[in-house]
Amino acid sequence: MGRPTRWSTDTGPDHSRWYVDRFRQLAAEGADLGGEARLLDAMVAPGSRILDAGCGTGRVGATLAARGHTVLGVDADPVLIDAARADHPGPRWLVADLATLDLPASGIAEPFDAAVVAGNVMAFVAPGTERDVLTRIAAHLRPDGIVVVGFGADRGYALAAFDTDIEASGLRREHRFATWDLRPWHPGADFAVTVLRLPAE
């Protein structure tokens, strides 16, 4: 693992367990937890290979797997990965730091058609590693693969900095929306969903 993530340094010792319990309760209540997955599913071919980067408890990856995709979820928090494995058997779930992600070293060499970075992941990575995270995700995509990233605009990672990091990572920005259900982006939006692509050449 690299530098401690904000998820571990900016939250209390019981936060991960609270987070697991929260999403289990939401699922039990029938809450709609699949919006991010539905968007990505509409953008990729059936049976795609998808990287759920910062997968948390696995809710997005599990929905994508149920729709027929091959999913690998990675997260730096072993408590969340344990919950994903318990609650969502089927996809593969790994403990890994996105800033130093090297899946071929773990025997996973085939590139991904797409990646999803949901749940404010970019605001929880270690400070100063955001560009590394985008670069490492891009390194695991096939040419012309896509990444969809969503996070709050008030979470300490400015969109201007994000856009600079996108360019430096080798990815290219194609679209930006204000929500996962594609409401139009505007400068006052408190959330951003950005579609990126790894150029084919």
Side-chain angles (χ1 to χ4, degrees), residues 123-156:
F124 282 116
V125 301
T129 67
E130 296 90 352
R131 183 174 299 183
D132 296 330
V133 168
L134 292 170
T135 300
R136 293 312 307 153
I137 291 172
H140 291 81
L141 291 178
R142 63 164 177 79
D144 205 40
I146 62 169
V147 186
V148 185
V149 184
F151 62 92
D154 60 349
R155 291 285 188 148

mmCIF file of all heavy atoms in Angstrom, residues 123-156:
data_model
loop_
_atom_site.group_PDB
_atom_site.id
_atom_site.type_symbol
_atom_site.label_atom_id
_atom_site.label_comp_id
_atom_site.label_asym_id
_atom_site.label_seq_id
_atom_site.Cartn_x
_atom_site.Cartn_y
_atom_site.Cartn_z
ATOM 1 N N ALA A 123 -12.350 11.720 -3.943
ATOM 2 C CA ALA A 123 -12.193 12.606 -2.790
ATOM 3 C C ALA A 123 -11.641 11.880 -1.574
ATOM 4 O O ALA A 123 -11.295 12.522 -0.576
ATOM 5 C CB ALA A 123 -13.537 13.233 -2.441
ATOM 6 N N PHE A 124 -11.523 10.558 -1.651
ATOM 7 C CA PHE A 124 -11.055 9.778 -0.511
ATOM 8 C C PHE A 124 -9.672 9.165 -0.721
ATOM 9 O O PHE A 124 -9.125 8.543 0.195
ATOM 10 C CB PHE A 124 -12.051 8.661 -0.185
ATOM 11 C CG PHE A 124 -13.264 9.139 0.563
ATOM 12 C CD1 PHE A 124 -14.518 9.048 -0.004
ATOM 13 C CD2 PHE A 124 -13.151 9.667 1.838
ATOM 14 C CE1 PHE A 124 -15.648 9.475 0.683
ATOM 15 C CE2 PHE A 124 -14.267 10.106 2.534
ATOM 16 C CZ PHE A 124 -15.521 10.006 1.960
ATOM 17 N N VAL A 125 -9.085 9.305 -1.917
ATOM 18 C CA VAL A 125 -7.735 8.776 -2.118
ATOM 19 C C VAL A 125 -6.738 9.644 -1.356
ATOM 20 O O VAL A 125 -7.072 10.731 -0.872
ATOM 21 C CB VAL A 125 -7.378 8.699 -3.616
ATOM 22 C CG1 VAL A 125 -8.373 7.801 -4.356
ATOM 23 C CG2 VAL A 125 -7.322 10.088 -4.254
ATOM 24 N N ALA A 126 -5.503 9.175 -1.236
ATOM 25 C CA ALA A 126 -4.493 9.941 -0.505
ATOM 26 C C ALA A 126 -4.258 11.285 -1.185
ATOM 27 O O ALA A 126 -4.214 11.369 -2.417
ATOM 28 C CB ALA A 126 -3.190 9.156 -0.428
ATOM 29 N N PRO A 127 -4.117 12.351 -0.397
ATOM 30 C CA PRO A 127 -3.882 13.678 -0.991
ATOM 31 C C PRO A 127 -2.665 13.667 -1.915
ATOM 32 O O PRO A 127 -1.620 13.101 -1.584
ATOM 33 C CB PRO A 127 -3.632 14.572 0.229
ATOM 34 C CG PRO A 127 -4.283 13.872 1.371
ATOM 35 C CD PRO A 127 -4.141 12.399 1.078
ATOM 36 N N GLY A 128 -2.828 14.256 -3.078
ATOM 37 C CA GLY A 128 -1.733 14.331 -4.028
ATOM 38 C C GLY A 128 -1.578 13.126 -4.930
ATOM 39 O O GLY A 128 -0.722 13.125 -5.815
ATOM 40 N N THR A 129 -2.419 12.099 -4.742
ATOM 41 C CA THR A 129 -2.310 10.892 -5.580
ATOM 42 C C THR A 129 -3.389 10.817 -6.645
ATOM 43 O O THR A 129 -3.470 9.827 -7.375
ATOM 44 C CB THR A 129 -2.375 9.602 -4.730
ATOM 45 O OG1 THR A 129 -3.686 9.482 -4.151
ATOM 46 C CG2 THR A 129 -1.320 9.609 -3.635
ATOM 47 N N GLU A 130 -4.228 11.834 -6.746
ATOM 48 C CA GLU A 130 -5.360 11.768 -7.678
ATOM 49 C C GLU A 130 -4.896 11.502 -9.113
ATOM 50 O O GLU A 130 -5.491 10.687 -9.823
ATOM 51 C CB GLU A 130 -6.171 13.065 -7.619
ATOM 52 C CG GLU A 130 -6.818 13.320 -6.278
ATOM 53 C CD GLU A 130 -5.938 14.108 -5.310
ATOM 54 O OE1 GLU A 130 -4.746 14.332 -5.625
ATOM 55 O OE2 GLU A 130 -6.438 14.499 -4.238
ATOM 56 N N ARG A 131 -3.830 12.174 -9.524
ATOM 57 C CA ARG A 131 -3.312 11.954 -10.879
ATOM 58 C C ARG A 131 -2.785 10.537 -11.039
ATOM 59 O O ARG A 131 -2.988 9.893 -12.079
ATOM 60 C CB ARG A 131 -2.207 12.966 -11.192
ATOM 61 C CG ARG A 131 -1.674 12.860 -12.613
ATOM 62 C CD ARG A 131 -0.692 13.977 -12.921
ATOM 63 N NE ARG A 131 -1.327 15.288 -12.810
ATOM 64 C CZ ARG A 131 -0.717 16.433 -13.085
ATOM 65 N NH1 ARG A 131 0.558 16.430 -13.484
ATOM 66 N NH2 ARG A 131 -1.358 17.574 -12.979
ATOM 67 N N ASP A 132 -2.117 10.033 -10.002
ATOM 68 C CA ASP A 132 -1.619 8.651 -10.040
ATOM 69 C C ASP A 132 -2.777 7.665 -10.170
ATOM 70 O O ASP A 132 -2.683 6.680 -10.911
ATOM 71 C CB ASP A 132 -0.820 8.334 -8.775
ATOM 72 C CG ASP A 132 0.437 9.162 -8.642
ATOM 73 O OD1 ASP A 132 1.008 9.548 -9.676
ATOM 74 O OD2 ASP A 132 0.846 9.425 -7.497
ATOM 75 N N VAL A 133 -3.851 7.927 -9.442
ATOM 76 C CA VAL A 133 -5.018 7.046 -9.504
ATOM 77 C C VAL A 133 -5.573 6.992 -10.923
ATOM 78 O O VAL A 133 -5.814 5.903 -11.475
ATOM 79 C CB VAL A 133 -6.103 7.525 -8.507
ATOM 80 C CG1 VAL A 133 -7.428 6.812 -8.770
ATOM 81 C CG2 VAL A 133 -5.644 7.295 -7.079
ATOM 82 N N LEU A 134 -5.759 8.137 -11.544
ATOM 83 C CA LEU A 134 -6.273 8.159 -12.913
ATOM 84 C C LEU A 134 -5.311 7.481 -13.884
ATOM 85 O O LEU A 134 -5.737 6.747 -14.787
ATOM 86 C CB LEU A 134 -6.528 9.603 -13.341
ATOM 87 C CG LEU A 134 -7.674 10.314 -12.619
ATOM 88 C CD1 LEU A 134 -7.670 11.801 -12.950
ATOM 89 C CD2 LEU A 134 -9.025 9.692 -12.968
ATOM 90 N N THR A 135 -4.025 7.693 -13.689
ATOM 91 C CA THR A 135 -3.013 7.089 -14.563
ATOM 92 C C THR A 135 -3.013 5.576 -14.437
ATOM 93 O O THR A 135 -2.919 4.849 -15.439
ATOM 94 C CB THR A 135 -1.625 7.649 -14.235
ATOM 95 O OG1 THR A 135 -1.641 9.072 -14.441
ATOM 96 C CG2 THR A 135 -0.548 7.040 -15.117
ATOM 97 N N ARG A 136 -3.125 5.082 -13.191
ATOM 98 C CA ARG A 136 -3.114 3.626 -12.992
ATOM 99 C C ARG A 136 -4.405 2.987 -13.519
ATOM 100 O O ARG A 136 -4.369 1.876 -14.050
ATOM 101 C CB ARG A 136 -2.926 3.297 -11.504
ATOM 102 C CG ARG A 136 -1.570 3.686 -10.934
ATOM 103 C CD ARG A 136 -0.405 3.229 -11.806
ATOM 104 N NE ARG A 136 -0.475 1.811 -12.111
ATOM 105 C CZ ARG A 136 0.040 1.251 -13.195
ATOM 106 N NH1 ARG A 136 0.646 1.978 -14.132
ATOM 107 N NH2 ARG A 136 -0.060 -0.058 -13.377
ATOM 108 N N ILE A 137 -5.521 3.665 -13.375
ATOM 109 C CA ILE A 137 -6.755 3.126 -13.960
ATOM 110 C C ILE A 137 -6.620 3.071 -15.479
ATOM 111 O O ILE A 137 -6.947 2.056 -16.105
ATOM 112 C CB ILE A 137 -7.971 3.966 -13.530
ATOM 113 C CG1 ILE A 137 -8.239 3.783 -12.037
ATOM 114 C CG2 ILE A 137 -9.209 3.585 -14.348
ATOM 115 C CD1 ILE A 137 -9.294 4.706 -11.475
ATOM 116 N N ALA A 138 -6.122 4.145 -16.076
ATOM 117 C CA ALA A 138 -5.940 4.181 -17.532
ATOM 118 C C ALA A 138 -5.028 3.065 -18.000
ATOM 119 O O ALA A 138 -5.235 2.490 -19.087
ATOM 120 C CB ALA A 138 -5.379 5.536 -17.953
ATOM 121 N N ALA A 139 -4.026 2.719 -17.209
ATOM 122 C CA ALA A 139 -3.075 1.676 -17.591
ATOM 123 C C ALA A 139 -3.717 0.299 -17.685
ATOM 124 O O ALA A 139 -3.154 -0.608 -18.313
ATOM 125 C CB ALA A 139 -1.920 1.639 -16.589
ATOM 126 N N HIS A 140 -4.882 0.149 -17.090
ATOM 127 C CA HIS A 140 -5.560 -1.149 -17.101
ATOM 128 C C HIS A 140 -6.692 -1.220 -18.122
ATOM 129 O O HIS A 140 -7.413 -2.220 -18.186
ATOM 130 C CB HIS A 140 -6.088 -1.461 -15.706
ATOM 131 C CG HIS A 140 -5.014 -1.735 -14.710
ATOM 132 N ND1 HIS A 140 -4.308 -0.741 -14.084
ATOM 133 C CD2 HIS A 140 -4.494 -2.908 -14.268
ATOM 134 C CE1 HIS A 140 -3.410 -1.289 -13.270
ATOM 135 N NE2 HIS A 140 -3.501 -2.595 -13.370
ATOM 136 N N LEU A 141 -6.844 -0.184 -18.941
ATOM 137 C CA LEU A 141 -7.887 -0.164 -19.960
ATOM 138 C C LEU A 141 -7.352 -0.597 -21.314
ATOM 139 O O LEU A 141 -6.180 -0.361 -21.637
ATOM 140 C CB LEU A 141 -8.455 1.244 -20.111
ATOM 141 C CG LEU A 141 -9.280 1.841 -18.982
ATOM 142 C CD1 LEU A 141 -9.683 3.259 -19.354
ATOM 143 C CD2 LEU A 141 -10.499 0.987 -18.681
ATOM 144 N N ARG A 142 -8.209 -1.158 -22.124
ATOM 145 C CA ARG A 142 -7.871 -1.376 -23.522
ATOM 146 C C ARG A 142 -7.969 -0.039 -24.252
ATOM 147 O O ARG A 142 -8.677 0.878 -23.797
ATOM 148 C CB ARG A 142 -8.815 -2.387 -24.160
ATOM 149 C CG ARG A 142 -10.257 -1.929 -24.197
ATOM 150 C CD ARG A 142 -11.083 -2.758 -25.149
ATOM 151 N NE ARG A 142 -12.488 -2.373 -25.127
ATOM 152 C CZ ARG A 142 -13.015 -1.323 -25.745
ATOM 153 N NH1 ARG A 142 -12.231 -0.498 -26.426
ATOM 154 N NH2 ARG A 142 -14.304 -1.064 -25.676
ATOM 155 N N PRO A 143 -7.304 0.109 -25.378
ATOM 156 C CA PRO A 143 -7.478 1.330 -26.168
ATOM 157 C C PRO A 143 -8.955 1.555 -26.498
ATOM 158 O O PRO A 143 -9.676 0.615 -26.826
ATOM 159 C CB PRO A 143 -6.653 1.053 -27.430
ATOM 160 C CG PRO A 143 -5.613 0.082 -26.974
ATOM 161 C CD PRO A 143 -6.303 -0.800 -25.961
ATOM 162 N N ASP A 144 -9.417 2.779 -26.385
ATOM 163 C CA ASP A 144 -10.791 3.193 -26.596
ATOM 164 C C ASP A 144 -11.703 2.818 -25.425
ATOM 165 O O ASP A 144 -12.921 2.972 -25.509
ATOM 166 C CB ASP A 144 -11.364 2.625 -27.909
ATOM 167 C CG ASP A 144 -12.509 3.480 -28.448
ATOM 168 O OD1 ASP A 144 -12.413 4.719 -28.366
ATOM 169 O OD2 ASP A 144 -13.501 2.902 -28.927
ATOM 170 N N GLY A 145 -11.106 2.342 -24.312
ATOM 171 C CA GLY A 145 -11.896 2.042 -23.128
ATOM 172 C C GLY A 145 -12.348 3.315 -22.438
ATOM 173 O O GLY A 145 -11.788 4.396 -22.631
ATOM 174 N N ILE A 146 -13.391 3.197 -21.613
ATOM 175 C CA ILE A 146 -13.959 4.366 -20.948
ATOM 176 C C ILE A 146 -13.839 4.261 -19.434
ATOM 177 O O ILE A 146 -13.722 3.171 -18.873
ATOM 178 C CB ILE A 146 -15.429 4.588 -21.335
ATOM 179 C CG1 ILE A 146 -16.303 3.398 -20.897
ATOM 180 C CG2 ILE A 146 -15.572 4.865 -22.816
ATOM 181 C CD1 ILE A 146 -17.800 3.674 -21.002
ATOM 182 N N VAL A 147 -13.862 5.433 -18.806
ATOM 183 C CA VAL A 147 -13.915 5.539 -17.349
ATOM 184 C C VAL A 147 -15.025 6.537 -17.017
ATOM 185 O O VAL A 147 -15.095 7.605 -17.625
ATOM 186 C CB VAL A 147 -12.592 6.061 -16.755
ATOM 187 C CG1 VAL A 147 -12.643 6.022 -15.229
ATOM 188 C CG2 VAL A 147 -11.400 5.284 -17.282
ATOM 189 N N VAL A 148 -15.875 6.187 -16.067
ATOM 190 C CA VAL A 148 -16.903 7.107 -15.608
ATOM 191 C C VAL A 148 -16.634 7.389 -14.130
ATOM 192 O O VAL A 148 -16.573 6.465 -13.314
ATOM 193 C CB VAL A 148 -18.321 6.552 -15.809
ATOM 194 C CG1 VAL A 148 -19.355 7.606 -15.421
ATOM 195 C CG2 VAL A 148 -18.530 6.117 -17.258
ATOM 196 N N VAL A 149 -16.459 8.682 -13.816
ATOM 197 C CA VAL A 149 -16.058 9.113 -12.477
ATOM 198 C C VAL A 149 -17.107 10.065 -11.919
ATOM 199 O O VAL A 149 -17.495 11.026 -12.591
ATOM 200 C CB VAL A 149 -14.698 9.852 -12.529
ATOM 201 C CG1 VAL A 149 -14.235 10.213 -11.118
ATOM 202 C CG2 VAL A 149 -13.643 9.018 -13.251
ATOM 203 N N GLY A 150 -17.544 9.817 -10.690
ATOM 204 C CA GLY A 150 -18.485 10.728 -10.049
ATOM 205 C C GLY A 150 -18.031 11.109 -8.656
ATOM 206 O O GLY A 150 -17.617 10.248 -7.876
ATOM 207 N N PHE A 151 -18.071 12.404 -8.343
ATOM 208 C CA PHE A 151 -17.769 12.845 -6.978
ATOM 209 C C PHE A 151 -18.338 14.240 -6.752
ATOM 210 O O PHE A 151 -18.623 14.985 -7.692
ATOM 211 C CB PHE A 151 -16.262 12.824 -6.690
ATOM 212 C CG PHE A 151 -15.414 13.729 -7.550
ATOM 213 C CD1 PHE A 151 -15.117 15.018 -7.147
ATOM 214 C CD2 PHE A 151 -14.905 13.269 -8.766
ATOM 215 C CE1 PHE A 151 -14.332 15.845 -7.934
ATOM 216 C CE2 PHE A 151 -14.118 14.084 -9.554
ATOM 217 C CZ PHE A 151 -13.829 15.383 -9.143
ATOM 218 N N GLY A 152 -18.484 14.588 -5.477
ATOM 219 C CA GLY A 152 -19.030 15.867 -5.099
ATOM 220 C C GLY A 152 -18.078 17.009 -5.371
ATOM 221 O O GLY A 152 -16.874 16.900 -5.120
ATOM 222 N N ALA A 153 -18.626 18.108 -5.848
ATOM 223 C CA ALA A 153 -17.792 19.256 -6.189
ATOM 224 C C ALA A 153 -17.275 19.984 -4.956
ATOM 225 O O ALA A 153 -16.368 20.815 -5.065
ATOM 226 C CB ALA A 153 -18.589 20.229 -7.059
ATOM 227 N N ASP A 154 -17.816 19.657 -3.793
ATOM 228 C CA ASP A 154 -17.411 20.330 -2.554
ATOM 229 C C ASP A 154 -16.584 19.416 -1.652
ATOM 230 O O ASP A 154 -16.515 19.631 -0.441
ATOM 231 C CB ASP A 154 -18.653 20.808 -1.797
ATOM 232 C CG ASP A 154 -19.585 19.653 -1.433
ATOM 233 O OD1 ASP A 154 -19.382 18.526 -1.935
ATOM 234 O OD2 ASP A 154 -20.526 19.885 -0.642
ATOM 235 N N ARG A 155 -15.942 18.415 -2.232
ATOM 236 C CA ARG A 155 -15.241 17.403 -1.451
ATOM 237 C C ARG A 155 -13.741 17.645 -1.316
ATOM 238 O O ARG A 155 -13.011 16.783 -0.846
ATOM 239 C CB ARG A 155 -15.477 16.024 -2.069
ATOM 240 C CG ARG A 155 -16.897 15.519 -1.932
ATOM 241 C CD ARG A 155 -17.161 15.057 -0.522
ATOM 242 N NE ARG A 155 -18.431 14.394 -0.391
ATOM 243 C CZ ARG A 155 -18.670 13.400 0.463
ATOM 244 N NH1 ARG A 155 -17.702 12.966 1.239
ATOM 245 N NH2 ARG A 155 -19.866 12.879 0.542
ATOM 246 N N GLY A 156 -13.263 18.811 -1.752
ATOM 247 C CA GLY A 156 -11.850 19.127 -1.573
ATOM 248 C C GLY A 156 -10.972 18.822 -2.767
ATOM 249 O O GLY A 156 -9.750 19.013 -2.704
#
